[in-house]
Amino acid sequence: MKIYNKYIAAIALSLVLASCKAPMATVIKDEVKENVPQNFNQEEQGDANNNSGTTPWRQFFTDPNLVSLIETALKNNQELMITLQEIEIAKSGVLAKKGRLTPTVSAGIGAGVSKVGRYTSEGAGDASTEIESGKEMPDPLGNFEGGLMANWEVDIWKKLRTEKESAVAHYLSTVEGKNFVLSNLIEEVADNYYELLALDNQLDIIQQYTKLQQKALEISKIQKEAAAATELAVKKFEAELAKSKASEYTIRQEITEKENQINALCGRYPQAIVRSKDDFMTTIPQTVYTGIPSQLLANRPDIKQAELELKSTKLDVEAARKEFYPSLEISATLGLEAFKPSYLVKLPESIATSLVGELAGPLINKSAIKANFQTADARQIQSLYEYDKTILNAYLDVANLMSKVKNIDQYYKLKSEETKALEQSIDIANQLFRNSRADYLEVLLNQRDALDAKMELVEAKQKQLSTVVDIYKSLGGGWK
């Protein structure tokens, strides 16, 4: 018998050891992070001590109206509020994983009744049992119980700790996700604010152009009466005047939509946006210092979010791998149990206790845990690609915007020169037209060219300011 028991124990041990075999996770290597270039371009060398991405947004933006809008958006924006709830959900996930590391204790009471056949082993035993002198067991037999129950999965392979660490990493990634939403929100508010100021200035230009066309129309009518111009010139000026007035209403609609877009970012119903358009064209963009590319890894919240998600998926793979190992569960109960309520107070006869330890592992059908492991492994690889893509896109964003800052500055200077030259040509053309030395076509063409140049100059200023905001966000600025 002893030999037989030894064989059973040996077989059981062999089965437990066999269940411990687990597949290996895919070994991944982060080559993109390791090969980040030293500088953003070959022409200029970055300075690690100067990085605008570390500047708080309140110091970066100096327009008090814009600062007020950003503050409102940070308080009321719905997308930001949604992201904050994602953090709370992730925090609850950490608490849930942490709770699995400690025993669960519950209390309960119960009552029941059962009747077994007399000619069964249990029924015959109950019939021949006397509780007190001359009193047999009652039939049917009741059961009343109450007590404490405890269950605990012993974390012998640190699987539960690994799951908790994964939940913590995911929670931290949601915090970085919130920071990225903050950065994007500030960028959107600033970009839309500058676009609104640009539309205000374009509306002023159109109104000035309309007045100019009105004067040109009056001159053409006077010249027609003096036989110095024809009816065709009058009609052409009338058409141009109607066109400029129509453009004014188009811009007014764009202003309304842009104001409401800002209000949506601020999480409020439509209202006027407080702003000052007078200093828009003379606003000098902030000087931006890019630092070195490796600083993006610490400054950009989307990169840190992707890195933490990669860490979380790696831990998920480790936890999924440990599902192949046996698990040890301990359960215990302590309470009172009797077939009559009055017997519950009779101690120690009514005391019921149990202590059970169980070591069990998967043996034959492992398809479910294999699928779970393969899914976790694939997500790990997917997270690595996502992390690499985020780093690469961040580097390219800054490199592109650095080039754009330089080119848009040159574009703005040349547009300024073009505008000045065309303004002078308008005065010359109008003077010649009054003296009948130029026809209406020359006046119209000069006026249209000047209008287009002024409108493009305003757009260039808006792009100049917005590009600085964009590069500030691309360097990781805005969320601090």
Side-chain angles (χ1 to χ4, degrees), residues 415-453:
K415 276 295 175 183
S416 297
E417 295 176 5
E418 179 188 3
T419 302
K420 290 178 182 178
L422 287 171
E423 284 178 346
Q424 293 173 357
S425 70
I426 287 178
D427 294 335
I428 295 171
N430 285 336
Q431 188 65 36
L432 292 173
F433 183 67
R434 291 191 191 97
N435 297 328
S436 300
R437 297 177 59 187
D439 60 18
Y440 66 91
L441 287 176
E442 291 180 273
V443 176
L444 281 175
L445 289 175
N446 275 281
Q447 289 177 346
R448 287 177 183 175
D449 290 343
L451 173 65
D452 292 340

Side-chain angles (χ1 to χ4, degrees), residues 306 309-310 313 378-388:
E309 281 297 330
L310 176 59
T313 55
R379 284 178 178 165
Q380 172 195 218
I381 300 172
Q382 187 181 51
S383 295
L384 174 64
Y385 292 147
E386 189 67 33
Y387 180 51
D388 289 345

Side-chain angles (χ1 to χ4, degrees), residues 285-297:
Q286 288 270 24
T287 302
V288 178
Y289 302 97
T290 59
I292 56 177
S294 60
Q295 291 177 319
L296 292 174
L297 303 178

